[in-house]
Amino acid sequence: MGRCLYCISIELPSDKFDMTFIVSTTFDHDFVDIVYSMIDLLIISCFTLTAFAVVSCMMLDWVASKPLLAAFGGISAFLAVVSSFGLLTLVGVPFTHLVIGMPFLTLGVGVDDMFIMIASWRSTSPHLSVRDRLGKTFSEAALSITITSITDALAFGIGAISTFPSVRIFCCYCGMAIVFDYIYQLTFFGGCMALIGRREKQNRHCVTFRKVVSKPEAPSALYKSFCAGGISRVQHNREESRSEHLLVKFFNECYGPLITNNWFKILTFVCYLGYLALAILGCSQLSEGIIPQQLGLEDSYSVQYYDTHSKYFRDYGPIIQVVISNQLDYSNNTVQNEINAVIRNYQKNVYYNDQEDSGQCWLTDYLLFLNKTGLSADNETSFIYYLRESFLPLHEIYKLDVIFSSDNNSIISSRFLIFSRGITTNSAKLKREFMHESRKIATSSWIPMLAYHPSFIFDDHFDAILPSTIQNIVIATVGMLLVSLLLIPRPICAVYVTVSIASIVIGVIGYMALWDVGLDFVSMITIVVCIGFSVDYSAHVTYAFVISPRDSRNERAIESLHLLGLPILQSVLSTLIAISLISTIKTYVFRAMFRTMFLGITLGGLHGLLFLPVLLSFLGPSKSVRKVDKHLRRGTCEEEDMELLGWWDHS
């Protein structure tokens, strides 16, 4: 019926007036349009992210470069997306339009894990066998990938227990995709790495797969620029000097010393106070809930209808349906008096009209009809007979308000309508009170009644969204800390991770409010996901600082940036690339998802690369934890600690 009306409105245009409307299937049609509009963007995102990964894995060394392995990393993440869709749809988990945003997030996480694996491979000696290099790679990278996967899966797991069904479904798909990505990284991508490792061991070109010579042995400058690479036969029997990535040198020699300068520390502290003050200001302006216009596409006819209704018909409140779901004998005077009493209670309420014609009740009009016609309906049989044979044929407007039993001898359910006053503001408090008052009057009767209006679906958000968000943030924070303590057993790290998470959450909530994003089911889950993403940066930066063997706080902060600067930057950029195209969808839902994720990832990277290192250089432990452990345990943990950080080394 909705599609037919839609077609009629197109076939009968008019320059005399504008007509807007909605039907019961309007949102279903909008959701289908959203899904179709995102398929092309998903394909573009896959190719863009793969291109970024390929470029990031290229070096001046044509043997050590790994463009094909980067492409396999993108394929591994894509396989995780497909597997998640396949398994969950197979077991009957429904698909909602929000789920189409899952691949964008999963692809970013999958590429991040690939960067970890490749960085760990590069930290091993090229003179080792492929088997030994792969073993060292997994021994160093497995912990970091496990931490990342557990924190991300935990964040989505917390969302999966939400009170909002769409959020639960979305988190189920995302969490399962993270699990599959973890499995494929350790199996499929690990196998691809072994094959690429054999090519590197044989000193073959990363593109042509032809054997080449090292740069010192290159016969010409052109050959050296486009072909040469790998191990030099001249240096085979002596310790080779490894060249560092340009950005790794930048973090170690330029950026690290800059932010540990005393004047720059003061400037950073002032900027952080400004960041925090603006975030708190945004938190004070945060709105709650979601309105119907925000669910569909901006050019949808439903948005035009709701905008027109808000503009011209704000003084007319919603028509509330009061449904009686139990079978009753409506010929009984007690039942009739109770229903009339409920109607009067609505008319006395401040949110409803107090005129006698402020409702539409079949029972009231039917009783008037009986009095006017002189018909006697003093028992249920005659009451139903005259209702079916005499009243309803003349009053077709009530045909949908009465439901008879299969034998037509009783009424199993009915409804009546009550006209409310208009709520002239978008106040969440007023909408919530109106919904509660409507339900309270209905449930106060001894007859089982239910007050309903389609807007109550959205107004229910006002009750659940804030408590659910606070609960999820607390659970997520505690869960991330437990994971950090179990897998990175340094209690001092928990303090700094907690401070960082609190700062990032305040920033995300405050700045999303300033960016026209309210607190709703979309932003609620993305805030929790941002906690999962940001804890990786905070935990590893803090851990690198506390185990650094350097003497001063400044030197340890510089070393942590030396080890982590490039991987954090790659992680931030790859995830932003993966989600960037979501911002082009002309609907609030995905625009809010992009803005919240953008803030979470950007602020997480900002804390990991600037605020947290500066804080540690001020208030970090005065002595290296690893040095203390070495003194107490005679160095037994030194090798273990460096293994936990080995994958960050891009040298």
Side-chain angles (χ1 to χ4, degrees):
M1 184 62 180
R3 286 297 187 190
C4 296
L5 287 174
Y6 185 68
C7 295
I8 291 174
S9 68
I10 294 177
E11 294 172 359
L12 299 177
S14 173
D15 56 359
K16 304 296 183 181
F17 59 87
D18 294 326
M19 182 178 66
T20 62
F21 61 93
I22 58 169
V23 292
S24 59
T25 57
T26 292
F27 286 125
D28 293 337
H29 301 156
D30 284 347
F31 295 159
V32 171
D33 292 339
I34 291 173
V35 171
Y36 281 127
S37 66
M38 293 186 68
I39 293 176
D40 293 340
L41 296 180
L42 179 58
I43 296 173
I44 296 174
S45 180
C46 289
F47 281 105
T48 304
L49 192 59
T50 302
F52 171 78
V54 169
V55 173
S56 298
C57 293
M58 293 295 294
M59 301 173 63
L60 296 178
D61 189 314
W62 287 95
V63 173
S65 296
K66 295 174 175 59
L68 186 59
L69 188 59
F72 284 137
I75 294 173
S76 177
F78 181 75
L79 289 176
V81 172
V82 175
S83 299
S84 176
F85 277 128
L87 177 62
L88 293 182
T89 53
L90 181 65
V91 298
V93 178
F95 180 91
T96 67
H97 76 293
L98 195 62
V99 174
I100 196 64
M102 178 271 284
F104 296 91
L105 299 178
T106 305
L107 290 174
V109 173
V111 171
D112 292 347
D113 291 343
M114 177 203 68
F115 285 138
I116 294 174
M117 295 284 285
I118 293 179
S120 179
W121 174 273
R122 286 176 177 168
S123 69
T124 62
S125 172
H127 294 296
L128 297 174
S129 66
V130 174
R131 181 172 181 173
D132 291 340
R133 292 189 73 181
L134 198 61
K136 286 184 173 293
T137 297
F138 275 94
S139 68
E140 295 172 355
L143 175 64
S144 298
I145 292 179
T146 301
I147 292 175
T148 302
S149 301
I150 290 179
T151 54
D152 292 342
L154 179 61
F156 289 118
I158 293 170
I161 61 175
S162 169
T163 56
F164 302 102
S166 58
V167 173
R168 290 201 301 268
I169 295 171
F170 173 76
C171 290
C172 285
Y173 276 92
C174 289
M176 186 56 63
I178 295 297
V179 173
F180 275 117
D181 177 71
Y182 178 71
I183 295 172
Y184 289 145
Q185 285 292 330
L186 299 181
T187 54
F188 171 78
F189 186 75
C192 295
M193 180 173 281
L195 296 176
I196 298 299
R198 292 182 181 179
R199 172 197 61 78
E200 184 177 346
K201 184 65 175 178
Q202 296 172 8
N203 226 71
R204 295 181 181 273
H205 196 278
C206 65
V207 177
T208 64
F209 289 87
R210 297 180 64 88
K211 284 192 174 184
V212 295
V213 298
S214 63
K215 288 187 177 291
E217 302 169 297
S220 66
L222 187 63
Y223 186 94
K224 183 177 182 179
S225 300
F226 296 100
C227 297
I231 303 173
S232 172
R233 288 174 294 180
V234 178
Q235 297 178 338
H236 181 72
N237 293 322
R238 62 173 186 249
E239 186 67 23
E240 59 179 329
S241 60
R242 296 179 183 175
S243 60
E244 287 188 323
H245 195 286
L246 182 62
L247 287 178
V248 174
K249 289 185 177 181
F250 167 76
F251 280 108
N252 186 41
E253 299 174 5
C254 300
Y255 181 75
L258 174 65
I259 69 168
T260 53
N261 180 278
N262 288 334
W263 287 106
F264 198 90
K265 287 181 183 180
I266 296 174
L267 178 62
T268 302
F269 181 71
V270 173
C271 291
Y272 179 75
L273 290 180
Y275 153 83
L276 203 58
L278 193 58
I280 294 174
L281 176 63
C283 291
S284 66
Q285 301 177 4
L286 184 65
S287 61
E288 297 178 40
I290 195 168
I291 57 178
Q293 294 96 310
Q294 295 174 328
L295 291 180
L297 291 169
E298 291 177 352
D299 56 356
S300 169
Y301 64 93
S302 63
V303 175
Q304 184 182 5
Y305 165 81
Y306 283 112
D307 288 342
T308 304
H309 186 275
S310 299
K311 183 177 181 180
Y312 297 107
F313 300 96
R314 187 181 292 271
D315 293 335
Y316 300 91
I319 301 175
I320 304 302
Q321 302 180 48
V322 181
V323 180
I324 302 173
S325 57
N326 285 20
Q327 179 175 327
L328 295 174
D329 180 6
Y330 289 86
S331 65
N332 188 299
N333 289 331
T334 304
V335 173
Q336 296 173 5
N337 292 335
E338 180 64 19
I339 293 176
N340 289 328
V342 171
I343 294 175
R344 287 194 298 272
N345 289 337
Y346 274 108
Q347 293 171 347
K348 294 176 184 178
N349 191 275
V350 66
Y351 290 104
Y352 289 87
N353 296 316
D354 54 2
Q355 293 87 358
E356 291 187 2
D357 60 347
S358 60
Q360 180 177 297
C361 179
W362 67 270
L363 180 61
T364 302
D365 288 352
Y366 179 48
L367 293 177
L368 292 175
F369 173 81
L370 292 177
N371 290 334
K372 193 175 294 186
T373 58
L375 297 174
S376 176
D378 54 358
N379 58 69
E380 186 175 13
T381 302
S382 60
F383 185 92
I384 293 177
Y385 175 80
Y386 291 128
L387 175 65
R388 288 179 52 83
E389 301 299 328
S390 301
F391 179 75
L392 290 181
L394 298 176
H395 302 80
E396 294 189 356
I397 191 174
Y398 292 123
K399 279 191 173 181
L400 297 178
D401 293 347
V402 184
I403 300 178
F404 298 95
S405 61
S406 57
D407 57 6
N408 294 326
N409 290 328
S410 60
I411 300 175
I412 60 176
S413 180
S414 70
R415 69 173 180 178
F416 55 90
L417 308 180
I418 302 294
F419 305 147
S420 66
R421 297 180 185 271
I423 299 177
T424 57
T425 67
N426 284 324
S427 170
K429 180 180 179 181
L430 288 178
K431 291 182 178 180
R432 183 166 53 239
E433 289 179 354
F434 168 71
M435 179 182 65
H436 289 323
E437 286 293 317
S438 302
R439 290 174 173 172
K440 180 180 178 181
I441 295 173
T443 56
S444 63
S445 171
W446 62 267
I447 298 177
M449 295 185 185
L450 172 67
Y452 172 79
H453 187 268
S455 64
F456 288 177
I457 299 174
F458 306 98
D459 297 339
D460 274 328
H461 282 70
F462 298 127
D463 274 340
I465 192 64
L466 185 59
S468 296
T469 301
I470 295 174
Q471 172 186 297
N472 290 342
I473 290 176
V474 172
I475 295 176
T477 302
V478 173
M480 302 306 169
L481 291 179
L482 291 177
V483 171
S484 299
L485 288 173
L486 288 174
L487 298 181
I488 309 178
R490 301 293 180 189
I492 190 64
C493 295
V495 177
Y496 300 108
V497 169
T498 303
V499 172
S500 182
I501 289 177
S503 178
I504 292 171
V505 169
I506 293 173
V508 171
I509 295 176
Y511 286 102
M512 80 178 191
L514 298 176
W515 206 356
D516 296 328
V517 177
L519 186 60
D520 48 54
F521 69 93
V522 179
S523 56
M524 177 189 70
I525 186 56
T526 48
I527 290 171
V528 176
V529 173
C530 288
I531 294 176
F533 285 169
S534 61
V535 73
D536 299 331
Y537 309 146
S538 305
H540 289 297
V541 168
T542 304
Y543 189 71
F545 180 90
V546 299
I547 72 166
S548 171
R550 306 229 179 144
D551 295 325
S552 68
R553 292 190 181 102
N554 284 350
E555 290 176 347
R556 295 206 298 278
I558 293 173
E559 184 176 16
S560 66
L561 289 170
H562 178 215
L563 294 173
L564 305 173
L566 180 58
I568 289 177
L569 184 62
Q570 285 181 320
S571 176
V572 169
L573 291 178
S574 62
T575 309
L576 289 179
I577 290 174
I579 67 172
S580 60
L581 292 178
I582 297 180
S583 63
T584 63
I585 302 296
K586 294 181 179 180
T587 177
Y588 167 83
V589 171
F590 289 102
R591 189 164 57 244
M593 179 183 292
F594 165 76
R595 290 178 178 179
T596 314
M597 291 297 300
F598 176 87
L599 288 172
I601 295 166
T602 304
L603 294 180
L606 182 64
H607 279 71
L609 294 177
L610 179 60
F611 291 151
L612 189 56
V614 171
L615 173 66
L616 292 172
S617 68
F618 264 126
L619 304 174
S622 58
K623 294 183 180 180
S624 169
V625 174
R626 191 155 66 92
K627 278 191 172 183
V628 174
D629 285 350
K630 184 176 180 180
H631 175 71
L632 294 176
R633 300 189 299 174
R634 302 192 178 188
T636 56
C637 74
E638 177 178 352
E639 190 173 317
E640 172 190 346
D641 288 337
M642 291 312 296
E643 282 186 1
L644 295 176
L645 281 175
W647 63 271
W648 291 107
D649 189 359
H650 276 243
S651 59

